[in-house]
Amino acid sequence: MILFGEHAVVSGAAALGAAVDLRVRAGIEDLPGRVEISAPDLRVTLAGIAVDPFSGAILGNSIKEGAVHATRYISAVLKEFGARDLRVTVVSEVPPASGLGSSASVVVATLGALSRHLSLDLSLDEIADEAHRIEKSVQNGLGSPMDTALATFGGYQIVEGSAKLIDLPEMRLVVGFTGRPHDTRAEVEKVQSFGARYPEIVDPIFRAIGEISTRAVGCIRGGSLEELGRLFDANHGLLESIGVGTRELSELVYASRGAGRAFGAKITGAGGGGCMIALPGPGPENVLRVMTAIAQARGEPFSVVTGCPGLRLEDSADEI
Amino acid sequence: MILFGEHAVVSGAAALGAAVDLRVRAGIEDLPGRVEISAPDLRVTLAGIAVDPFSGAILGNSIKEGAVHATRYISAVLKEFGARDLRVTVVSEVPPASGLGSSASVVVATLGALSRHLSLDLSLDEIADEAHRIEKSVQNGLGSPMDTALATFGGYQIVEGSAKLIDLPEMRLVVGFTGRPHDTRAEVEKVQSFGARYPEIVDPIFRAIGEISTRAVGCIRGGSLEELGRLFDANHGLLESIGVGTRELSELVYASRGAGRAFGAKITGAGGGGCMIALPGPGPENVLRVMTAIAQARGEPFSVVTGCPGLRLEDSADEI
C-alpha cells in the first residue's frame, strides 16, 4: 500500500509505502506432463481457472477478467524459469486492480514458492529484483520497485531517489474499496501528460507531495496520528488536483472523515478507482466507526495493519 | 466571484476574479428624524429588518442571521459619512455568506446610493477604496480589495501583487450553492495556520495555484474552455489540499463534472461551505444539464455571466 507520494514519486519526490496484513499465498506441487495455474480467489473477482502459460490456452472454464489478469503474472514467473510439470495455486486476500499491489504480491509469492520447489535458493534481494523485472515486463515497462520490495521484505519503504527499508511502528488503517478496478497505466499517463503540458503547475504539486511524505515519517514515528491524518487529507487534495480522483473515492474519503471521524483519508495508489485509506481514531470502536461509514457510502471496508512481514515460507500446504 | 487563486492570493500568488450578473440594489430616501435600514432580500436568507445603525437596536421584527449580518455593512457606510434622516433599502440577488462577495456588493451599492443622495460625487476609484476600507473594518481587518473593486468596476480583475482590471470576454458559468453559509475568517485562519506549520508544503501549493491563475487568463482570452475546465479541476484539488473542502461542495463538484458533463468545477471563495462553480459545455442545454445535476445533488444552482458591469446609477426607485 502506498501511504504517501503516489504519482509524484515518478518525478523524484519522496514516497512512503507499507506492507499490510493482506496475504497472497502461493503453493506449487508436481503435475507431470502439464502446467496448471489455479487461482481460486476467496475475495473479490478471481475465479478458479487453469491456463497454459506458454500458449495462453485456457485449460479450465471458470474465467473472469480478474483471474485472467492475475495468471498473466504467474505465467510470466513460470516462463522466466522454464518451469514445467507443476500446478501453481495462488490465493489472494488482496482485491485485484485495486491499487493495493496485488500483482506485485502475486509475483513475489509465486517466485518464493517456485524458488523452494525448484531449490533455486533465491535470496530476498534476488526475489525483489526479479519480481520487479517480471512485473514491469508484464506491464510493458510500468511498475514501481516499491510494490515488489514491500511484498518481499514487508515493513515500510521510503523512496528518496532510491527505495530503502525504514523502521516504523505498525498502524491500524481502514481501506475502502470502491469496487471499481482502476487502470494504473491510464492514470499514470494522464498525470504525465498533464505534467508535460503544465510543468509550472505540476512540479510544485509534486514538490508539496514529497514534503508531505517526509513529514509523515516523523508523525508515524512519533505517534502523532491527528497530524498524520491532516497530511493524509493534504495529499488527497493534491491527488485530486492532478486528476486521479473520482466521485466514489471522494464519497468514501468524506464519509470516513465525517461520520467515521477519521483523522484523515486519501486515495491510495494510482487513483481513478481502486481504494482509499483512512486513519481511524484509537481503539476498535473507531475502526468500526470508519468501516461503517465507508459501508454506508457503498464502499467495501476492510481493516489492515501496516508494517507487517513480507515473503514468508510456510510448510502447511493445507493453508492454501 | 473568485475564479482562481483564493487563499493563495494572500501570499502573493496570482488570482483572477470576475463580476457576475447577480445584482445588489440600494436605494436611499429621506426619512426625517430617523435612520432605517431595510434589506428585504428576495433570494435566500435576508429578511425585512430595520436596525438603528448607531445603537445596533433592532427597529423591525423580522430578523434572521443573514439580515443582521448585512446591516452591519450598511450601518458602517452610514456611520462613515454621519448620514442621518434617511431610509436605506437594499435588495440582493447574491446569497449572503456564500463566498460570492455579497458583503462587498452591499457596501459598494450603499456607497453609490449615498454618494448620490448626499451629492458627494465620489469617483469609482474613491468608492472602491472606501468600500474596501469599510468592509475590512467591519470584518476586523479581513477583506480582499478584489471583491470591492469587482463590485465597483465590473469586468475581470487580475491580482499579481496589486489588482488591476483585465479585458476578457464574458463567460457563462453555473454556481451551486450548498445552502451552508461559510465563515471566511475561520477558513482563512485555518489555511494560514496550516501554512505557518507546514510552509514547505503550502508554499509550493500556493505557487501552483498562482500558475493556474496565470494560465487561466490565456484560456479565457482564447476561448479554450475545455482546458480552462481542467484548470478549474486542478485548482479545486489544491483548495481541498489546504483543507477548505467539504463533503457538500465535493458532491456538487462531482455531480457537475459527471452527470452535468461540465468541463470543470471548483469551490469559489473561502470554502468550508458557500458555493462552487462549474464551467458548462457550450449552449443552453449544457447549462441546464449542469444545473440539473447540481439540483439532484441537493445544491441550489443558478446560472451567471462573468465579466458584467459593476456599479451603475439607476433612476427608477421602483426597481428596488
Side-chain angles (χ1 to χ4, degrees):
Chain A
M1 166 187 292
I2 302 187
L3 296 177
F4 293 95
E6 42 276 270
H7 289 290
V9 70
V10 178
S11 300
L16 182 68
V20 298
D21 57 344
L22 295 171
R23 301 199 73 81
V24 171
R25 292 190 168 81
I28 296 185
E29 53 193 327
D30 289 318
L31 187 68
R34 293 186 67 184
V35 172
E36 259 187 39
I37 298 173
S38 169
D41 192 285
L42 300 174
R43 250 201 96 67
V44 186
T45 54
L46 283 184
I49 189 169
V51 173
D52 182 327
F54 302 103
S55 69
I58 290 157
L59 308 173
N61 58 3
S62 168
I63 307 133
K64 294 190 187 169
E65 186 79 30
V68 174
H69 185 64
T71 55
R72 286 181 53 209
Y73 296 94
I74 301 168
S75 305
V77 174
L78 300 184
K79 196 179 281 182
E80 183 67 25
F81 291 91
R84 294 194 160 268
D85 306 314
L86 45 74
R87 173 189 287 124
V88 183
T89 306
V90 174
V91 181
S92 171
E93 296 171 1
V94 186
S98 62
L100 289 178
S102 56
S103 54
S105 303
V106 166
V107 172
V108 168
T110 307
L111 262 173
L114 194 66
S115 171
R116 181 153 73 168
H117 186 78
L118 301 181
S119 303
L120 301 173
D121 271 337
L122 299 176
S123 69
L124 287 183
D125 280 325
E126 286 168 331
I127 286 175
D129 288 351
E130 189 67 37
H132 174 52
R133 226 174 42 74
I134 291 173
E135 195 192 14
K136 219 167 141 176
S137 80
V138 173
Q139 296 175 170
N140 294 322
L142 275 179
S144 150
M146 195 204 261
D147 287 1
T148 37
L150 283 170
T152 307
F153 299 106
Y156 292 87
Q157 293 253 339
I158 178 106
V159 183
E160 285 170 317
S162 65
K164 54 180 180 291
L165 276 166
I166 180 169
D167 190 31
L168 293 172
E170 290 187 348
M171 277 193 307
R172 171 73 65 180
L173 292 183
V174 176
V175 181
F177 183 36
T178 56
R180 297 222 182 178
H182 72 161
D183 180 342
T184 299
R185 173 180 298 277
E187 297 303 313
V188 169
E189 281 173 1
K190 192 165 64 177
V191 172
Q192 293 296 312
S193 121
F194 186 54
R197 173 138 185 73
Y198 297 110
E200 74 282 14
I201 295 171
V202 174
D203 288 352
I205 292 175
F206 283 175
R207 194 146 60 249
I209 291 176
E211 292 292 346
I212 289 172
S213 303
T214 306
R215 296 294 289 245
V217 168
C219 292
I220 298 173
R221 184 168 285 137
S224 314
L225 297 188
E226 281 196 60
E227 200 176 339
L228 185 67
R230 188 63 198 80
L231 296 177
F232 269 51
D233 291 347
N235 197 160
H236 177 75
L238 296 172
L239 288 168
E240 289 251 1
S241 78
I242 55 175
V244 301
T246 70
R247 182 177 196 159
E248 289 85 359
L249 284 165
S250 175
E251 280 172 4
L252 301 189
V253 161
Y254 272 107
S256 303
R257 294 176 190 163
R261 296 193 216 156
F263 288 147
K266 68 180 278 289
I267 293 167
T268 182
C275 291
M276 48 69 67
I277 49 179
L279 180 63
E285 70 281 10
N286 279 308
V287 172
L288 186 62
R289 206 193 301 280
V290 174
M291 292 181 74
T292 305
I294 287 174
Q296 282 172 346
R298 294 178 305 280
E300 185 193 349
F302 44 103
S303 150
V304 299
V305 174
T306 56
C308 288
L311 181 63
R312 203 162 62 189
L313 295 179
E314 293 170 349
D315 276 322
S316 164
D318 298 353
E319 279 197 32
I320 288 185
Chain B
M1 166 187 292
I2 301 186
L3 295 177
F4 293 95
E6 40 279 267
H7 289 291
V9 70
V10 177
S11 300
L16 183 67
V20 299
D21 57 344
L22 294 171
R23 301 198 72 81
V24 171
R25 291 191 169 81
I28 296 185
E29 51 193 329
D30 289 318
L31 187 68
R34 294 187 66 185
V35 173
E36 258 188 40
I37 298 173
S38 169
D41 193 286
L42 300 174
R43 250 200 96 69
V44 188
T45 55
L46 284 184
I49 190 171
V51 172
D52 182 328
F54 302 103
S55 69
I58 291 157
L59 308 173
N61 59 2
S62 168
I63 307 134
K64 294 190 189 170
E65 187 79 31
V68 174
H69 185 64
T71 54
R72 286 179 54 209
Y73 296 93
I74 302 168
S75 305
V77 174
L78 300 184
K79 195 180 280 182
E80 182 68 26
F81 292 92
R84 293 192 160 269
D85 305 313
L86 46 74
R87 171 188 290 124
V88 183
T89 305
V90 175
V91 181
S92 171
E93 295 171 2
V94 186
S98 61
L100 289 179
S102 56
S103 53
S105 304
V106 166
V107 172
V108 168
T110 307
L111 263 174
L114 193 66
S115 171
R116 181 153 74 166
H117 186 77
L118 301 180
S119 303
L120 301 172
D121 271 336
L122 299 175
S123 69
L124 287 183
D125 281 325
E126 286 167 331
I127 286 176
D129 288 351
E130 189 68 36
H132 174 52
R133 224 173 45 73
I134 292 173
E135 194 192 14
K136 219 167 142 174
S137 79
V138 172
Q139 296 174 170
N140 293 323
L142 277 177
S144 149
M146 194 202 263
D147 287 1
T148 37
L150 283 168
T152 307
F153 299 106
Y156 293 87
Q157 293 252 339
I158 179 105
V159 182
E160 286 170 317
S162 65
K164 52 181 181 292
L165 277 166
I166 180 170
D167 191 29
L168 292 171
E170 290 186 348
M171 277 192 309
R172 170 73 63 180
L173 293 183
V174 176
V175 181
F177 183 37
T178 56
R180 295 222 181 180
H182 70 162
D183 180 340
T184 300
R185 172 180 298 277
E187 297 304 313
V188 169
E189 281 173 1
K190 191 164 66 180
V191 172
Q192 293 296 311
S193 122
F194 186 54
R197 175 141 184 72
Y198 298 110
E200 73 282 14
I201 296 171
V202 175
D203 287 352
I205 292 174
F206 283 175
R207 196 146 57 250
I209 291 176
E211 292 293 345
I212 289 172
S213 303
T214 307
R215 296 295 288 246
V217 168
C219 292
I220 298 174
R221 184 170 284 135
S224 313
L225 296 190
E226 281 196 61
E227 201 176 339
L228 185 66
R230 187 66 197 81
L231 297 176
F232 269 52
D233 290 349
N235 197 159
H236 178 74
L238 296 172
L239 288 168
E240 290 251 2
S241 78
I242 54 174
V244 302
T246 70
R247 182 178 197 158
E248 289 84 359
L249 284 165
S250 175
E251 281 172 3
L252 301 189
V253 161
Y254 272 108
S256 302
R257 294 178 190 161
R261 298 192 215 156
F263 288 147
K266 69 181 277 289
I267 293 166
T268 182
C275 291
M276 47 70 66
I277 50 178
L279 181 62
E285 70 281 11
N286 280 309
V287 172
L288 187 60
R289 207 191 301 279
V290 174
M291 291 181 75
T292 305
I294 288 174
Q296 282 172 347
R298 294 179 303 281
E300 185 193 348
F302 43 104
S303 150
V304 298
V305 174
T306 57
C308 288
L311 181 63
R312 200 162 64 190
L313 295 180
E314 292 170 351
D315 276 321
S316 165
D318 299 354
E319 279 196 32
I320 290 185

